[in-house]
Amino acid sequence: MLLLAAAFIVAFVLLLYMVSPLISPKPLKLPGAHVVVTGGSSGIGKCIAIECYKQGAFITLIARDENKLLQTKKEIEKYSVNDKQVVLCISVDVSKDYEQVENVLKQAQEKLGPVDMLVNCAGTSVTGKFEDIEVNCFERLMAVNYLGSVYPSRAVIATMKERRMGRIVFVSSQAGQLGLFGYTAYSPTKFALRGLAEALQMEVKPYDIYVTVAYPPDTDTPGFAEESKTKPLETKLISETSSVCQAEQVARVIVKDAIQGNFNSSVGSDGYMLSILTSGMSPVTSITEGLQQVVCMGIFRIIGLFYLGSFDSIVRRCMMQREKSESADKTE
């Protein structure tokens, strides 16, 4: 058995070595590149725009609130590295009208050149028990979180194919890797981005276009603060099992992975473990990444089972406490 296992590993390494030239993209050079960031007026999107601007990129910010966009533009411009850099602001809802999204991106490309990297960061969240969430919330979240990424990507992909270069980033969430209590409306929209990214990557890889899916953990942003106001107790207790990251840290990781053309982008040890556990048939961009997935999958699954047991215990305790409280209220 040991010889068989060793032979399998050797064969696997040789296979990866043979295909590695096909899966190792050339890094994207950001100086002078045109980077479009949707949802770029605040949170992770704004920090990604700042990070790219610091590295010499031209930025197009897309969001709904024009006032926030103009404030963010001023903030980003403080980090310019040369006098030629430009920050363009476009106020549009990327989830409603595809033709409008296509038109504004054409205008952006006429002003700043073809899009070298698109970062789909527009998104929103609603938490609550499945039966308590209004049906229209499911529809709205699917429109914003999923179609809000489909439309901009669809608008730039043809030009990227013509130029045979480009990067497309989908900002998902750790809730797009693991379904959790309270996220029945949110998680499916973020899971959907993974499916879109895998299918799209297979289509565009021959054109030297690379797709990155980012899975940020809980991050200190205005959106996270707003979401926390309505989180069920179970969701809060589960979230407290991991720390809250800073948006600047998350943005640096996402930009680095996008430049390198990595398919998965994760933050911290929990994020690394989840990326291994959920790697499935996702693309790899290095021999090391493939070997890590093979070697670590088993042990991480064991650790993951302990996490799941802990989460189930939290949900069960909350249910028992709630029932006990309701029973006490009835007897009074």
Side-chain angles (χ1 to χ4, degrees):
M1 286 295 293
L2 289 176
L3 288 175
L4 185 62
F8 172 78
I9 293 174
V10 170
F12 179 75
V13 172
L14 287 174
L15 177 63
L16 285 177
Y17 177 76
M18 290 170 63
V19 302
S20 61
L22 303 177
I23 61 177
S24 299
K26 294 179 181 179
L28 176 70
K29 296 179 180 179
L30 276 186
H34 181 191
V35 177
V36 175
V37 184
T38 71
S41 63
S42 65
I44 294 174
K46 181 177 78 171
C47 291
I48 288 174
I50 290 173
E51 183 64 26
C52 291
Y53 200 68
K54 284 180 178 179
Q55 298 187 40
F58 289 68
I59 305 295
T60 294
L61 290 177
I62 297 178
R64 291 176 299 175
D65 192 319
E66 190 170 358
N67 290 329
K68 282 186 178 180
L69 279 170
L70 294 175
Q71 292 173 4
T72 302
K73 172 183 168 71
K74 292 178 182 178
E75 187 175 344
I76 293 173
E77 287 174 339
K78 297 176 183 178
Y79 298 94
S80 64
V81 295
N82 61 65
D83 295 335
K84 296 180 180 180
Q85 281 180 279
V86 175
V87 179
L88 178 66
C89 293
I90 299 176
S91 175
V92 68
D93 187 336
V94 293
S95 68
K96 285 191 175 180
D97 185 340
Y98 171 71
E99 289 186 0
Q100 187 179 20
V101 173
E102 186 179 38
N103 287 335
V104 298
L105 281 169
K106 281 182 180 178
Q107 293 170 18
Q109 292 186 92
E110 288 171 1
K111 293 179 180 179
L112 301 183
V115 176
D116 296 290
M117 182 161 80
L118 167 66
V119 183
N120 293 291
C121 202
T124 188
S125 175
V126 172
T127 57
K129 292 182 184 178
F130 182 65
E131 68 273 21
D132 294 338
I133 299 174
E134 296 292 335
V135 171
N136 62 2
C137 287
F138 291 89
E139 297 170 351
R140 180 167 62 88
L141 262 62
M142 186 58 75
V144 175
N145 296 347
Y146 179 67
L147 294 180
S149 293
V150 171
Y151 291 168
S153 302
R154 177 69 173 73
V156 303
I157 200 68
T159 305
M160 286 187 174
K161 279 187 172 183
E162 289 172 3
R163 300 174 66 220
R164 292 185 177 270
M165 65 170 291
R167 297 287 191 271
I168 296 178
V169 181
F170 297 106
V171 179
S172 179
S173 165
Q174 284 189 355
Q177 296 172 294
L178 168 67
L180 294 172
F181 190 106
Y183 285 119
T184 52
Y186 178 70
S187 280
T189 65
K190 293 300 187 177
F191 268 85
L193 291 176
R194 162 71 176 269
L196 170 63
E198 287 192 2
L200 182 60
Q201 179 63 96
M202 193 174 290
E203 285 190 22
V204 301
K205 189 174 180 181
Y207 298 90
D208 289 328
I209 301 168
Y210 289 89
V211 176
T212 297
V213 189
Y215 300 104
D218 284 344
T219 306
D220 186 11
T221 64
F224 176 72
E226 190 65 26
E227 172 194 309
S228 297
K229 294 178 182 178
T230 58
K231 274 183 179 177
L233 176 60
E234 292 89 340
T235 311
K236 289 181 180 179
L237 293 174
I238 290 172
S239 296
E240 289 171 0
T241 60
S242 60
S243 58
V244 177
C245 289
Q246 295 302 306
E248 294 81 4
Q249 175 194 3
V250 173
R252 284 193 294 270
V253 172
I254 293 174
V255 171
K256 180 181 177 182
D257 284 328
I259 289 172
Q260 295 299 323
N262 295 332
F263 183 77
N264 288 301
S265 179
S266 60
V267 180
S269 57
D270 286 349
Y272 175 74
M273 184 180 74
L274 275 173
S275 288
I276 296 289
L277 280 172
T278 60
S279 56
M281 290 289 288
S282 63
V284 295
T285 49
S286 71
I287 293 175
T288 302
E289 183 184 7
L291 283 174
Q292 286 173 343
Q293 291 170 357
V294 171
V295 172
C296 297
M297 182 72 77
I299 186 65
F300 282 175
R301 177 57 176 165
I302 293 172
I303 296 172
L305 291 174
F306 280 102
Y307 271 98
L308 289 173
S310 173
F311 298 159
D312 286 342
S313 178
I314 289 172
V315 173
R316 194 177 299 110
R317 286 201 312 270
C318 288
M319 182 190 71
M320 293 173 64
Q321 289 175 3
R322 190 175 293 109
E323 289 179 345
K324 185 178 180 180
S325 177
E326 290 173 354
S327 177
D329 290 341
K330 289 179 181 179
T331 58
E332 289 180 356

